Amino acid sequence: MNDKKTILSGIQPSGELTLGSYLGAIKNWVELSSDYDCFYCIVDMHAVTVRQDPALLRKRTLEQLAQYIACGLDPEKNTIFIQSHIPELAQLTWVLMCHTGFGELSRMTQFKDKSAKNSDNINAGLFTYPVLMAADILLYQAHLVPVGGDQKQHVELTRDIALRFNALHGEVFTIPESFIPKIGARIMSLTSPENKMSKSDADPDGCVFLMQKPEEIMRRFKRAVTDSETNVRFDPAKKPGISNLISVYSAVSGNSITETEALFSGKGYGDFKTAVGEAVVELFRPIREETDRLLGDKAYLESAYKKGAEKASGVAGKTLRKIYKKIGFIPL
Ligand code: AQP
């Protein structure tokens, strides 16, 4: 019998994967992938809450699948799938929407941030997206949801919805918990370190992308915004730029924050930025090469996502049938 706990996590194909996506999510997914029963998805349904170019969305979805695998996720061992391939998700989302308060959704900070950024398209999906995320987590009965710090609020909402549903209809949902990495939970933009590094940032210089060439990665780190001091010291409030670089170096090298500070004590910002850039270049080099190789093998990628959909659907169907029965829908 499989007594491993279940994990669910996903990333939107709303842009090229960044250093933030890697350190805040994928790196931890790989570390957890042997000890848990993992469901890792490409959340294309979430991505369309913001207008996407259809051809680009298709391309990025496939690229993201190749990148997951290149980063070390194994489709044989884990369930790696594309969110829109699982129709039960939309079905469960509707049921959960009827168990979620308008006031609860209004408090979500990501909705406030994204509606400010997309003022010409504040659609209902942007508002109700946390319920889609809750349905994703609950459909697979996930115990743990590895997320960056910014997604914690959505996992809290998922717990509230699940507890409410269970209280009304009996214990059907596993109550999930968020899992937030100690280092790398929030990687900030290199050009405006008070903001999160985001795939769809209007200023691409603030981001480092997984598929970027080494020269370009180095250029971005060398131009990273710092401060007028000269000491490599971790103080996010007063020194957000340098603190962000310290977090990046620590997450990539496996050092603690204090060890990184000690390592660069007495060295200038220039040397430090070069060291951070080089560490990231070496981290991404094999991932980029393997992604390119996988993208040349479309038949393999297709078989990987079909296998993922089949595995995910099996679990999703089981949960949905239970839920439909609980709320009084007549089975067909
Ligand atoms: N900068 C980041 N630091 C730490 N973690 C991050 N994550 C994303 N950016 C960072 C984590 O990656 C997971 C997937 O996120 P997502 O892509 O589905 O959604 P997002 O958080 O909205 O990511 P972006 O890059 O900011 O996308 P856009 O620009 O499209 O909104 C999550 O666990 C997230 O915390």
Side-chain angles (χ1 to χ4, degrees), residues 140-310:
Y140 305 103
Q141 305 283 6
H143 299 87
L144 223 54
V145 187
V147 285
D150 57 310
Q151 290 281 351
K152 190 165 182 261
Q153 197 185 25
H154 292 161
V155 181
E156 294 296 325
L157 177 71
T158 303
R159 289 170 59 87
D160 291 344
I161 298 172
L163 287 167
R164 183 174 307 141
F165 193 97
N166 283 358
L168 281 169
H169 303 290
E171 299 292 312
V172 269
F173 287 129
T174 302
I175 307 301
E177 276 177 50
S178 50
F179 173 86
I180 298 172
K182 286 195 190 69
I183 301 177
R186 200 164 158 81
I187 302 299
M188 311 309 275
S189 157
L190 298 185
T191 47
S192 49
E194 57 293 339
N195 297 321
K196 189 183 96 161
M197 184 183 286
S198 273
K199 292 182 229 87
S200 52
D201 195 335
D203 175 13
D205 274 356
C207 285
V208 170
F209 298 103
L210 234 66
M211 296 301 283
Q212 235 162 9
K213 295 269 181 295
E215 315 77 76
E216 189 51 32
I217 295 180
M218 290 307 294
R219 190 183 71 82
R220 292 191 184 191
F221 275 108
K222 283 186 179 157
R223 292 177 52 183
V225 167
T226 50
D227 51 65
S228 54
E229 293 182 4
T230 50
N231 52 341
V232 178
R233 185 171 55 83
F234 191 74
D235 183 347
K238 295 202 185 108
K239 297 164 71 69
I242 279 294
S243 302
N244 187 38
L245 295 179
I246 294 176
S247 295
V248 169
Y249 188 85
S250 303
V252 173
S253 65
N255 288 331
S256 67
I257 300 282
T258 321
E259 284 165 344
T260 301
E261 283 176 324
L263 199 61
F264 292 96
S265 147
K267 302 224 169 79
Y269 284 175
D271 287 350
F272 179 50
K273 286 178 175 184
T274 303
V276 183
E278 283 169 354
V280 173
V281 163
E282 290 320 313
L283 174 73
F284 285 175
R285 190 189 301 282
I287 296 175
R288 191 184 68 243
E289 288 170 0
E290 180 61 2
T291 302
D292 281 338
R293 192 190 69 74
L294 288 167
L295 285 172
D297 190 353
K298 294 279 184 311
Y300 168 73
L301 292 176
E302 195 180 314
S303 73
Y305 68 66
K306 282 192 172 157
K307 178 177 290 175
E310 207 176 297

Side-chain angles (χ1 to χ4, degrees), residues 9-26 29 43 46-47 50 52 64 110 114 117 129 146-152 181 184-189 195-201:
S9 206
I11 299 180
Q12 307 175 64
S14 49
E16 302 283 324
L17 293 185
T18 70
L19 181 63
S21 333
Y22 182 79
L23 295 179
I26 305 176
W29 297 0
V43 288
H46 179 188
V50 172
Q52 302 290 338
Q64 200 166 304
Q110 196 185 67
K114 286 212 169 173
K117 276 196 205 162
Y129 148 71
V147 285
D150 57 310
Q151 290 281 351
K152 190 165 182 261
R186 200 164 158 81
I187 302 299
M188 311 309 275
S189 157
N195 297 321
K196 189 183 96 161
M197 184 183 286
S198 273
K199 292 182 229 87
S200 52
D201 195 335

